[in-house]
Amino acid sequence: MKEKKSILFIHHNRHSGGASKSLFGYLNSLKDKFDIHLIFPKGTVSKDPNIKNFELIPIIGVSQFDNSEIGFYQGRRWLVLIREFFFFFPSIFSILKLKNKNFAVVHLNEISLIFIGVIARLVFSCPIILHVRTVQNNKWNLRSKLISILLNKFIDQIICIDTTVLNSLKVYKIKKPIEVVRNSFEKNGEIEKSKKFERNQITKVAIVSNFLIYKGIFDFYEAANILKETNRIENIEFQVYGDNFREMNDLKGKIMQFFGFQFDVSKKLKEKIKSDSLEDHFILKGFADDLEKVYENIDILCFPSHLNAVGRPVIEAGIHGKPSIVSLRDKENCDYLINDSTGIIIDEKNPSELANSIYDLHKNIDKRLLMGKKAFGHIQNLFSHQENLDKFETIIGRVTN
């Protein structure tokens, strides 16, 4: 019997989210073909049941260098590098512990892991595949020059999750192969027959996200308040599935608040809800253990982020036949959604436009249901798990041969 190739995957985020779900979905489909090792930071991602089939190397934190539109270093954010230097040593140690392994390839699950990728390349002398999931800062500066040099010298293959991310990589002047492999969603059973496009009396509008300002959580709230102030919120319920990105009351949380990197979003939202008397219309649901039920019971998903990017919840909503309202700057090249067909694209940081779009779909039920049906077909065609898995596996095969 032919021995399975060993692959080392390095994951960057300790919180369970779209990046981890997408990666683990692919890995579970590949586990019978490859011997999979996974380095990842300890956190809620450790509880994801989909990682139990791999050789796990949990560490205190994985060192990153962020040059995305939101995460690039400026002002006080340069202090974040203190944390990354601290995590650099356990990251190197975790790689050195595996130095006797014969890996066919190392996969980095985000471009922020580029420095760890360089170490992995030097230790294992094998090809490196880099997944890029975030839109990059387009300024040509010292950071961009450094990342450009490292990408072209140490990375063998780059994968982008969509065309928006792909276009943002132009700043790095990359000479290595680049392909788009979209995130996918795998749902068991006959989806089409089980779907229900219902006319609910109450329109349930939801956001599914950790409480991060750049995910548009306050834009979502302001949209609700605008509808209330203009007497248009009757029979509309805003639902929020998620919670604070970090624990706010422990030492780390207090330090992050002290330096202004984070504040208690949950507390602030509760204060606003009470002050604006929105208790009956804006509901904080907390983390959802069963996202299937969430998407089955909502009518509209909102993704009003400031990232010029669309997240996995839009895929998940579409596969359940629910339209999305998303905010984007690059409206012409959105893979996830066709404007005014499978959903609505609005301007970033525009609660008024978000409120109007929600109200439009609330009043025009036939339009909303048709958008949901089109969203289902679009996601099935473009984000097919098997089709994108085949692309991913083909890239691995090509790089390792």
Side-chain angles (χ1 to χ4, degrees), residues 74-322:
Q74 58 181 347
R76 288 178 299 179
R77 272 200 58 81
W78 281 105
L79 293 173
V80 175
L81 283 178
I82 297 173
R83 179 191 66 188
E84 305 310 335
F85 281 124
F86 177 75
F87 289 154
F88 193 64
F89 298 102
S91 300
I92 294 177
F93 183 67
S94 66
I95 289 173
L96 292 176
K97 282 203 320 185
L98 300 170
K99 65 180 180 180
N100 293 325
K101 294 283 185 179
N102 184 27
F103 290 117
V105 67
V106 172
H107 175 279
L108 310 174
N109 205 33
E110 182 55 282
I111 191 172
S112 58
L113 298 171
I114 181 65
F115 285 101
I116 299 304
V118 171
I119 300 298
R121 178 63 178 265
L122 296 175
V123 171
F124 301 118
S125 300
C126 68
I128 306 290
I129 297 175
L130 173 67
H131 230 109
V132 187
R133 300 180 177 276
T134 50
V135 177
Q136 297 297 291
N137 173 35
N138 61 11
K139 295 178 180 177
W140 180 246
N141 52 28
L142 182 60
R143 281 168 284 174
S144 300
K145 292 177 183 177
L146 176 59
I147 292 174
S148 175
I149 292 169
L150 296 179
L151 289 175
N152 286 301
K153 184 173 179 61
F154 294 99
I155 303 302
D156 297 272
Q157 171 74 50
I158 296 172
I159 297 173
C160 298
I161 62 168
D162 58 39
T163 53
T164 304
V165 170
L166 174 65
N167 290 334
S168 76
L169 291 184
K170 292 176 182 177
V171 69
Y172 297 133
K173 304 175 182 179
I174 297 170
K175 302 179 180 65
K176 296 300 179 75
I178 306 177
E179 275 192 56
V180 172
V181 178
R182 296 179 177 88
N183 293 333
S184 66
F185 187 92
E186 188 173 28
K187 182 176 169 64
N188 296 324
E190 296 187 37
I191 305 168
E192 188 70 69
K193 293 181 180 179
S194 68
K195 291 180 56 56
K196 294 181 180 179
F197 300 95
E198 298 178 344
R199 296 171 178 268
N200 297 324
Q201 184 177 358
I202 303 294
T203 300
K204 297 175 182 177
V205 188
I207 185 170
V208 181
S209 172
N210 289 314
F211 287 3
L212 293 164
I213 295 174
Y214 61 76
K215 289 292 185 75
I217 183 70
F218 286 111
D219 296 347
F220 188 63
Y221 178 82
E222 289 304 321
N225 200 35
I226 288 169
L227 291 179
K228 174 182 173 292
E229 293 297 316
T230 54
N231 298 313
R232 292 182 291 164
I233 202 168
E234 184 179 1
N235 292 330
I236 302 178
E237 183 175 287
F238 287 72
Q239 300 180 347
V240 180
Y241 292 91
D243 211 328
N244 283 332
F245 186 63
R246 295 184 177 91
E247 172 59 50
M248 291 290 100
N249 295 318
D250 62 9
L251 178 61
K252 183 178 178 181
K254 292 183 184 300
I255 292 173
M256 296 297 283
Q257 291 179 75
F258 177 79
F259 285 107
F261 297 129
Q262 189 74 29
F263 73 95
D264 195 331
V265 177
S266 179
K267 180 181 178 182
K268 186 67 174 178
L269 279 174
K270 290 173 183 176
E271 290 173 353
K272 281 179 167 288
I273 292 167
K274 185 176 181 180
S275 174
D276 297 325
S277 302
L278 271 170
E279 292 92 341
D280 294 335
H281 294 281
F282 199 90
I283 317 297
L284 302 183
K285 295 283 191 176
F287 286 111
D289 293 325
D290 190 346
L291 283 177
E292 290 281 311
K293 289 184 178 179
V294 171
Y295 292 112
E296 287 172 2
N297 291 315
I298 68 172
D299 299 292
I300 305 165
L301 177 87
C302 291
F303 198 87
S305 84
H306 307 161
L307 296 169
N308 193 31
V310 180
R312 184 180 175 85
V314 174
I315 303 176
E316 295 170 335
I319 210 70
H320 287 86
K322 306 300 166 68

Side-chain angles (χ1 to χ4, degrees), residues 69 219 304-309 327-331 346-351 353:
E69 283 204 348
D219 296 347
S305 84
H306 307 161
L307 296 169
N308 193 31
S327 60
L328 282 173
R329 272 166 279 143
D330 187 7
K331 297 182 180 182
I346 63 172
D347 292 331
E348 286 184 0
K349 303 179 184 180
N350 195 328
E353 190 179 3

Side-chain angles (χ1 to χ4, degrees), residues 324 337-345 357 360 367 371 374:
S324 297
L337 177 144
I338 303 171
N339 194 24
D340 290 326
S341 176
T342 69
I344 298 175
I345 301 176
S357 298
D360 177 38
K367 177 181 178 180
M371 275 189 173
K374 288 182 177 180

